[in-house]
Amino acid sequence: MLRTLLAVTLFLCALAPAGAQNLEAGFRNFLESDIWPAARQRGVPRPIFDKAFQGVSLNLKLPDLRLPGSGEGVAETNFQAEFKSGADYLSERNVAGNVSQGRALLQKHKALLDRIVARYGVPAPVIVAIWGRESGFGAARIPENAFQVLGTKAYLARRKAMFREELIAALQIVADGHLKVSEMKSSWAGALGQPQFMPTKFLALAVDFDGDGRKDIWNSVPDTLASIAHYLRQSGWQPGRDWGFEVVVPESVSCANEGPDRGRPISEFAAAGVTRVSGRPFPANELGARGHLMMPAGRNGPAFIATPNFYVIKEYNNSDLYALFVGHAADRKQGAGPLAGRWRETDSLTRGDVARMQQKLIALGYDVGGADGLAGFKTRRSIGDFEAKNGMAPTCWPSRALAGRL
């Protein structure tokens, strides 16, 4: 973080004063020549557009920007907690707060949640776990100016096209009367309201469940919880199935077998010696259904058999740790205990370190899912395959020893 802030500071110093003025002038021209015509075509009135960007300037402190002259490389530092340490993200301190408050809210809103579950088929504990993770059950402070965040990212982010669409959608939200310009507050990523929907997701998936004529994910608990459930159901949630199970994976089952594209009937994992940490058998209705091995830290952390619903949760936030947090917190609300597997200490590596390993694995013919510096399942299993072929004990996790062999 300090390295990144220093880089931004040096960049700003290098820009001042003429360079900074040119960058701001380019931003204003981008808004006028690109964003305004697209917004006007979507029915956004000019006064709303003008008010949205009145006094708005670039926020160069936002992460994941591609500043002029910075090149195309992957950022060295991870900013999102969901892509850092599993031990921190799924610590008992983090999970316990979600669980204890969530249990109370499950009881408080039981009648409401029963109606939502009946309509969408998504379990109430999962809905409430997401609510807690995203906004502390509506208590989190969401301070950023959404138009500054989305405008900056549409102009300078690595994923400009995505944020351009989100910026136009944010203007539509105001034009449709959901909020005033002054009320459009967001996270640093541009997400809105208690369920932290990106603007396009709000337009597509938010629902008016309290019947007041507004889709209010900022102040209405019914609209917030039903919108979360609708999001998951539209993303493919399979009613009646679990999200997954924590398991013990014997050494005879390779960690390189991980991944949703290598799913098979859960009964086959059981026959190979994979067991639930609780000691109980897998539910009868799950044995014939497909699941897949999921090891978010390779052999250095807990292991799971995940169902397709795990990846539905990832549609909400594309992180293994996020989906695990939600699933585990939901289980805990229903009486399950803490995770049995332990997170072992691993080498401290930056996102850039991992990206360089991925590039070397790609050069050797491995499919790592892209050199993005994030150790997703394709990277993890490619590492396991490489380790096994080169006389190393398969860990399926980036390490300095691996970097030395590559």
Side-chain angles (χ1 to χ4, degrees), residues 104-381:
L105 291 169
L106 280 168
Q107 291 302 312
K108 179 180 179 179
H109 298 296
K110 184 177 185 307
L112 167 64
L113 285 162
D114 285 348
R115 290 191 294 120
I116 292 173
V117 172
R119 179 174 298 185
Y120 298 108
V122 179
V126 171
I127 298 168
V128 172
I130 289 176
W131 185 26
R133 184 69 243 180
E134 292 296 339
S135 65
F137 309 102
R141 182 172 172 266
I142 303 171
E144 303 291 341
N145 179 329
F147 293 110
Q148 182 183 52
V149 168
L150 294 170
T152 299
K153 287 181 172 284
Y155 186 56
L156 289 175
R158 297 174 186 277
R159 294 178 291 169
K160 292 184 180 68
M162 185 200 86
F163 283 106
R164 178 184 181 276
E165 188 62 27
E166 297 297 347
L167 176 58
I168 296 166
L171 290 164
Q172 286 181 264
I173 288 171
V174 177
D176 291 347
H178 296 289
L179 286 182
K180 298 175 183 176
V181 166
S182 61
E183 296 170 326
M184 286 290 284
K185 302 297 182 182
S186 76
S187 70
W188 63 263
L192 308 172
Q194 294 188 42
Q196 286 289 274
F197 279 13
M198 294 301 288
T200 56
K201 294 300 184 185
F202 172 85
L203 292 176
L205 297 171
V207 297
D208 171 21
F209 204 76
D210 59 16
D212 68 351
R214 297 181 63 226
K215 300 174 182 180
D216 185 1
I217 63 170
W218 295 271
N219 305 296
S220 168
V221 171
D223 289 4
T224 293
L225 299 182
S227 294
I228 292 170
H230 186 221
Y231 191 125
L232 295 176
R233 187 58 190 269
Q234 289 299 111
S235 297
W237 187 272
Q238 297 180 10
R241 292 208 66 186
D242 210 315
W243 68 270
F245 310 91
E246 189 184 0
V247 297
V248 176
V249 179
E251 294 295 330
S252 58
V253 176
S254 172
C255 56
N257 286 326
E258 182 183 3
D261 54 347
R262 296 184 181 177
R264 46 183 166 155
I266 291 177
S267 59
E268 293 187 15
F269 287 106
V274 176
T275 58
R276 293 179 67 182
V277 296
S278 65
R280 292 178 293 167
F282 293 100
N285 71 304
E286 294 282 4
L287 282 172
R290 290 179 70 82
H292 63 273
L293 190 62
M294 212 282 294
M295 301 176 73
R299 289 283 181 186
N300 298 307
F304 305 85
I305 294 295
T307 78
N309 283 341
F310 176 85
Y311 273 81
V312 172
I313 299 173
K314 282 192 67 175
E315 287 290 321
Y316 203 102
N317 184 318
N318 189 27
S319 158
D320 288 341
L321 295 181
Y322 178 90
L324 282 176
F325 184 101
V326 168
H328 177 56
D331 288 349
R332 293 280 293 277
K333 290 176 179 64
Q334 300 172 86
L339 291 174
R342 293 292 173 258
W343 303 91
R344 300 189 188 101
E345 187 173 347
T346 58
D347 293 336
S348 178
L349 300 170
T350 70
R351 185 169 176 174
D353 290 333
V354 176
R356 286 182 281 276
M357 291 185 212
Q358 289 170 323
Q359 289 165 354
K360 291 178 181 178
L361 286 165
I362 290 170
L364 292 171
Y366 289 93
D367 176 10
V368 300
D372 57 4
L374 304 175
F377 75 88
K378 288 186 177 180
T379 293
R380 297 194 295 263
R381 72 188 186 193

Side-chain angles (χ1 to χ4, degrees), residues 28 32 36 44-56 171 181:
R28 302 311 301 190
E32 188 65 36
W36 164 238
V44 176
R46 182 71 200 205
I48 287 177
F49 178 86
D50 289 340
K51 187 158 186 154
F53 296 107
Q54 183 178 0
V56 168
L171 290 164
V181 166

Side-chain angles (χ1 to χ4, degrees), residues 5-81:
L5 290 176
L6 177 61
V8 170
T9 301
L10 292 173
F11 172 76
L12 292 175
C13 291
L15 278 179
Q21 292 174 353
N22 289 339
L23 195 60
E24 284 291 343
F27 176 54
R28 302 311 301 190
N29 180 65
F30 164 71
L31 294 176
E32 188 65 36
S33 64
D34 186 342
I35 301 302
W36 164 238
R40 179 178 56 197
Q41 195 171 28
R42 304 273 187 94
V44 176
R46 182 71 200 205
I48 287 177
F49 178 86
D50 289 340
K51 187 158 186 154
F53 296 107
Q54 183 178 0
V56 168
S57 60
L58 290 168
N59 181 356
L60 298 180
K61 294 181 181 179
L62 294 172
D64 295 326
L65 302 183
R66 183 177 292 151
L67 303 176
S70 64
E72 301 289 325
V74 169
E76 285 291 328
T77 304
N78 284 347
F79 284 90
Q80 287 181 264

